[in-house]
Amino acid sequence: MSTPKDSPHGRTSRMLTALVLVPTLLLAGVVVAGIATGVVPVSLAISAQTASLSGQSFQVAADQLVGDGFSQYVTVDRTGKGDYPEGVSAIRSADLHGLCQSVVTHIPGVGDVTLRISAGGESRVVHAENLVVDTHDLSGDAVFQNVTFGQDASTLSGSKQGPQGFIGQQAAKVTIDHLRQETRSVSAATFRLPGLHLTVKKGSKPCF
């Protein structure tokens, strides 16, 4: 008779349980704190400035993003899988409608598993303070107001500055409809996530 230690099914179950349990417990604690205060502080990934990133790409999408104090420049994310050039987009204050974030992970013996987070929608608005996204692919319909291209990244007046000598751009206000982006890091000082919903499902079911 096989024991749990010897059973491949047991190992697979523990792997899947760990994948589901860790983010679920983390977000459960976040939601409880948010209910008490009306504010949900959360980072969708570890900031590149605080620790090494995993290197796995994930998706962030929104029906619309409206932000004040936009700045952007190029950086390099150093991860466990290697170094990746990214475009840092920093927004001092951002409102997002219909937010979706997803990551698809392949687990041997199980296949693809999708962790997906959604929030906002209809009249409920997601709000972020000091939002920073390291992105390598972004699309949407964008409008920039009072925009400056070619500025030294160290002199940007938005919420975040880049290295001296690096090219940067900034705008007083940005609006992006049908936002779709691939990123390895998202962080914010504060995220308010009304209607937060987390799902973990077998198969590849990303935001877009």
Side-chain angles (χ1 to χ4, degrees):
M1 180 176 181
S2 64
T3 65
K5 181 178 180 180
D6 299 325
S7 171
H9 175 72
R11 288 196 298 271
T12 301
S13 297
R14 287 194 294 273
M15 291 170 62
L16 184 57
T17 299
L19 176 74
V20 174
L21 190 58
V22 172
T24 301
L25 288 177
L26 173 62
L27 284 171
V30 167
V31 172
V32 169
I35 291 173
T37 63
V39 176
V40 181
V42 60
S43 177
L44 299 181
I46 300 172
S47 169
Q49 283 67 46
T50 59
S52 178
L53 299 170
S54 70
Q56 184 169 1
S57 179
F58 60 94
Q59 294 183 349
V60 178
D63 296 334
Q64 184 184 65
L65 178 150
V66 179
D68 295 320
F70 171 84
S71 59
Q72 188 175 65
Y73 58 91
V74 175
T75 190
V76 175
D77 277 349
R78 307 194 182 281
T79 79
K81 295 182 179 180
D83 296 342
Y84 298 92
E86 304 277 1
V88 177
S89 298
I91 304 175
R92 184 183 299 111
S93 177
D95 289 332
L96 301 99
H97 301 264
L99 177 68
C100 178
Q101 181 244 324
S102 66
V103 59
V104 179
T105 301
H106 185 80
I107 301 178
V110 177
D112 289 339
V113 175
T114 302
L115 170 64
R116 184 164 172 160
I117 299 171
S118 61
E122 297 181 354
S123 60
R124 311 179 79 181
V125 180
V126 173
H127 182 75
E129 296 289 337
N130 294 324
L131 177 66
V132 180
V133 182
D134 291 3
T135 185
H136 45 275
D137 192 280
L138 183 150
S139 64
D141 301 317
V143 176
F144 296 90
Q145 297 180 16
N146 297 326
V147 62
T148 302
F149 296 96
Q151 187 169 335
D152 190 298
S154 66
T155 66
L156 296 172
S157 60
S159 63
K160 192 172 179 62
Q161 290 77 41
Q164 185 176 11
F166 278 49
I167 192 168
Q169 61 177 334
Q170 65 181 19
K173 189 179 183 69
V174 59
T175 301
I176 305 177
D177 293 326
H178 315 298
L179 174 67
R180 303 288 184 269
Q181 58 185 335
E182 300 275 351
T183 177
R184 291 184 177 88
S185 172
V186 175
S187 62
T190 302
F191 247 124
R192 292 184 177 92
L193 299 168
L196 176 67
H197 184 208
L198 181 147
T199 62
V200 179
K201 294 182 179 180
K202 188 174 180 180
S204 179
K205 301 175 182 179
C207 295
F208 56 90

